[in-house]
Amino acid sequence: VSRVLVTGAEGFVGRRLVQRLAATGAHALTLVDRALPAAREEARRIQGDIADTAVLAAAIEAPPDLVFHLASLPGGAAEADPKASRRVNLDATLNLFEAAADTGRRARVVYASSIAVFGAPLPPAVDDYTPAEPTLTYGAHKRIGEIALADWSRRGVLDGISLRLPGIVARPRQGAGFRSAFMSEIFHALAAGETYELPVGPDATVWAMSLSRCVENLLHAGLMTTPGEGRALTLPAVRARMDALVAAIAAEAGVSHDLVNYAPDAALQAQFGSQPPLSTPAAEALGFRHDGGLEALVQAVLDDPDVRHKEPHP
Amino acid sequence: VSRVLVTGAEGFVGRRLVQRLAATGAHALTLVDRALPAAREEARRIQGDIADTAVLAAAIEAPPDLVFHLASLPGGAAEADPKASRRVNLDATLNLFEAAADTGRRARVVYASSIAVFGAPLPPAVDDYTPAEPTLTYGAHKRIGEIALADWSRRGVLDGISLRLPGIVARPRQGAGFRSAFMSEIFHALAAGETYELPVGPDATVWAMSLSRCVENLLHAGLMTTPGEGRALTLPAVRARMDALVAAIAAEAGVSHDLVNYAPDAALQAQFGSQPPLSTPAAEALGFRHDGGLEALVQAVLDDPDVRHKEPHP
């Protein structure tokens, strides 16, 4: 049994990851989040903000062998409140890494980074050599976390791996703070047979990954025997044009794609809907995977009980 | 009269920069350093560690229009004590930037970064597109400072510019903490007619800049009307093979190059003596300059009263 710490355990990704970890029974779990409403699984539960030093001390008290650091202030909220982003996405992140390093256990640390480390506009193609030049506060702070984790890993006191996540779909509706929310909203709207106005054009292109695939990749990063060695890996993702994504969702949901209206916001499309061809051989060589294709992605998302069986949005 | 804040004002670079700023008479100076022994120029003087919040508050009390952030824990010391490096090179640096941003004056901030943001081994050539992938704690923390400064600049609350300094010569003898000290020691030794054992081979290659040229570049960054816009610029530098550098110093100092013995340390040479051809068009377009060539570099260094007229090392 290894000791596993999950921050942001009650978040969109965290909740599903914890379910999967708990199902294996092989881990002593410590869960941290600002709200931990119900004890769904056997775990040490620490309710509070990871940016609070007492919460961090409690989280690390039983030194973990494996840390999934998912807690973060999302991109839109970070842009609106850079001081809060510094506190959570930068200072608390580095404090957590340093505290884990100080335990002397050389813990595997899986850090949920983001494609936001690449600024906008993106180059004509993105690959493992594309420099990380963030252009939003969220991406800047994520990149700082990657650099710090790589340095502690190089020093041999952590075994870190940063995963640059693409758009994970479908986040719950009204998931505040993500300006890229349209990528999730489109699934919820069509699954519920509602109209939806997309803030990008049919020619917009996005990198996407289903929640279930994201969780499998996180688990792989945590449990693979290859050392993390501080790598910052851009994960493979399905790249889709927005009109093709709409058509695939509509077909799978059994509704008309005419429910969707395009009202492009040029600035938003430039930031979140202009994702070029993506090549990720480093991550693939280590066993990380995308959903397999557009239809597989859409099916994985619509098969998700949190999407398919959700009550229609009022 | 503009208000100018200099951190690390009593350091190797800071002292000379302050002399130059004071000579113009156009600036109200605030100087910060852990020790400020003698009042050489008219200035507000704050003795203390910039990592101390009271010192930072005092430094920023009269809101500066221009900040030269030179204070840092050097590379060797940072590698030996990463917590101290985090405190000074990372947290205090970000605290200073944030405090300057909070004044609402959109201060020009000139940040002394370092070629250490490029890790070792370096690629076969370095240019403005070479990604910054640090491999020492010092370089990691400098890169973090660059990213944070660029983000505050993008937000329009600072007008920052990060200058990646090459080896600045000649630092005072026994300048603790710099593993690349050999680049300075060789000047002092030959100027004093002493023997010196170089820890790199004759084929080692280094990027170097004289102290006086470095100070001119810092002043240019501070006073140029072009906005900094958060740029991180690799400065032009003279690149020299170690045997050519030795020959040029010996010729200028009027001593034999036989005073020098080569005892290469492979690891040290890989880290500090394997600097490939360097191309810096972005900095040059903005008016930053190197010393002009190997002989001009050597002459500038040996003309420096702190090098030429120094008492021989006991």
Side-chain angles (χ1 to χ4, degrees), chain B residues 37-57:
Chain B
R40 278 180 297 262
E41 50 279 305
E42 199 171 318
R44 212 160 63 89
R45 300 160 63 78
I46 298 164
Q47 187 166 324
D49 189 334
I50 192 71
D52 177 334
T53 52
V55 170
L56 173 57

Side-chain angles (χ1 to χ4, degrees), chain A residues 68-80:
Chain A
F68 290 98
H69 181 40
L70 309 180
S72 81
L73 191 71
E79 196 60 20

Side-chain angles (χ1 to χ4, degrees), chain A residues 135-196:
Chain A
T135 51
L136 289 176
T137 296
Y138 179 74
H141 291 174
K142 285 289 180 190
R143 178 64 186 141
I144 286 171
E146 290 183 354
I147 292 171
L149 183 57
D151 192 56
W152 273 300
S153 299
R154 176 192 62 82
R155 301 188 73 94
V157 292
L158 289 178
D159 176 17
I161 184 164
S162 296
L163 300 185
R164 293 169 177 168
L165 304 179
I168 307 301
V169 288
R171 292 186 176 277
R173 288 189 123 163
Q174 303 175 305
F178 280 93
R179 291 179 64 206
S180 53
F182 69 89
M183 277 177 62
S184 291
E185 294 291 326
I186 186 70
F187 282 95
H188 291 293
L190 292 178
E194 298 167 18
T195 59
Y196 185 67

Side-chain angles (χ1 to χ4, degrees), chain B residues 44-290:
Chain B
R44 212 160 63 89
R45 300 160 63 78
I46 298 164
Q47 187 166 324
D49 189 334
I50 192 71
D52 177 334
T53 52
V55 170
L56 173 57
I60 220 84
E61 194 185 359
D65 306 298
L66 172 56
V67 177
F68 290 98
H69 181 40
L70 309 180
S72 81
L73 192 71
E79 196 59 21
D81 187 350
K83 283 180 192 292
S85 180
R86 182 178 170 195
R87 201 175 64 88
V88 176
N89 296 342
L90 198 166
D91 294 334
T93 294
L94 269 52
N95 290 342
L96 170 65
F97 294 166
E98 187 162 355
D102 287 349
T103 66
R105 294 179 81 87
R106 198 165 186 270
R108 172 72 52 86
V109 175
V110 180
Y111 174 47
S113 184
S114 165
I115 54 165
V117 300
F118 302 117
L122 287 162
V126 168
D127 61 25
D128 292 332
Y129 300 97
T130 303
E133 299 282 358
T135 51
L136 288 176
T137 295
Y138 179 75
H141 292 174
K142 285 288 180 191
R143 178 64 186 141
I144 287 171
E146 290 183 354
I147 291 171
L149 182 57
D151 192 56
W152 272 301
S153 299
R154 176 192 63 81
R155 301 188 73 93
V157 292
L158 290 177
D159 176 17
I161 184 163
S162 296
L163 300 185
R164 294 170 177 166
L165 304 179
I168 307 302
V169 287
R171 292 187 176 276
R173 289 190 122 164
Q174 303 175 305
F178 279 93
R179 292 178 64 206
S180 53
F182 68 89
M183 277 176 63
S184 291
E185 294 291 327
I186 186 68
F187 282 95
H188 291 292
L190 291 178
E194 298 168 17
T195 59
Y196 185 66
E197 186 170 275
L198 270 170
V200 296
D203 61 331
T205 49
V206 294
W207 298 332
M209 183 182 288
S210 70
L211 174 58
S212 51
R213 180 43 33 211
C214 171
V215 165
E216 295 312 310
N217 283 323
L218 287 166
L219 283 170
H220 179 63
L223 304 176
M224 69 183 187
T225 50
T226 322
E229 289 178 347
R231 287 184 188 88
L233 291 170
T234 305
L235 287 187
V238 171
R239 175 174 182 260
R241 264 179 67 107
M242 197 48 62
D243 49 7
L245 181 62
V246 165
I249 302 171
E252 180 72 19
V255 300
S256 166
H257 61 77
D258 290 343
L259 289 169
V260 175
N261 175 39
Y262 295 95
D265 170 329
L268 195 147
Q269 180 157 341
Q271 188 79 47
F272 298 110
S274 303
Q275 296 173 337
L278 176 66
S279 167
T280 57
E284 285 166 65
L286 287 168
F288 295 96
R289 297 287 176 258
H290 60 54

Side-chain angles (χ1 to χ4, degrees), chain A residues 118-308:
Chain A
F118 303 117
L122 287 161
V126 168
D127 62 25
D128 292 332
Y129 300 96
T130 302
E133 299 283 358
T135 51
L136 289 176
T137 296
Y138 179 74
H141 291 174
K142 285 289 180 190
R143 178 64 186 141
I144 286 171
E146 290 183 354
I147 292 171
L149 183 57
D151 192 56
W152 273 300
S153 299
R154 176 192 62 82
R155 301 188 73 94
V157 292
L158 289 178
D159 176 17
I161 184 164
S162 296
L163 300 185
R164 293 169 177 168
L165 304 179
I168 307 301
V169 288
R171 292 186 176 277
R173 288 189 123 163
Q174 303 175 305
F178 280 93
R179 291 179 64 206
S180 53
F182 69 89
M183 277 177 62
S184 291
E185 294 291 326
I186 186 70
F187 282 95
H188 291 293
L190 292 178
E194 298 167 18
T195 59
Y196 185 67
E197 186 170 274
L198 269 170
V200 296
D203 61 331
T205 49
V206 294
W207 299 332
M209 183 182 287
S210 70
L211 174 58
S212 50
R213 181 47 28 214
C214 172
V215 166
E216 295 312 309
N217 282 324
L218 287 166
L219 283 169
H220 180 64
L223 304 177
M224 68 182 188
T225 50
T226 320
E229 289 179 347
R231 287 184 188 88
L233 291 171
T234 305
L235 287 187
V238 171
R239 176 174 181 262
R241 262 177 68 106
M242 196 49 63
D243 50 7
L245 180 63
V246 165
I249 302 170
E252 180 72 18
V255 299
S256 165
H257 60 78
D258 290 343
L259 290 169
V260 175
N261 175 39
Y262 295 93
D265 171 329
L268 195 145
Q269 180 157 342
Q271 188 78 49
F272 297 111
S274 303
Q275 295 173 339
L278 176 67
S279 167
T280 57
E284 285 165 64
L286 287 168
F288 295 96
R289 297 288 175 258
H290 60 54
D291 280 277
L294 180 55
E295 289 184 11
L297 166 76
V298 167
Q299 200 169 338
V301 176
L302 292 182
D303 279 352
D304 194 305
D306 287 345
V307 179
R308 175 72 87 177

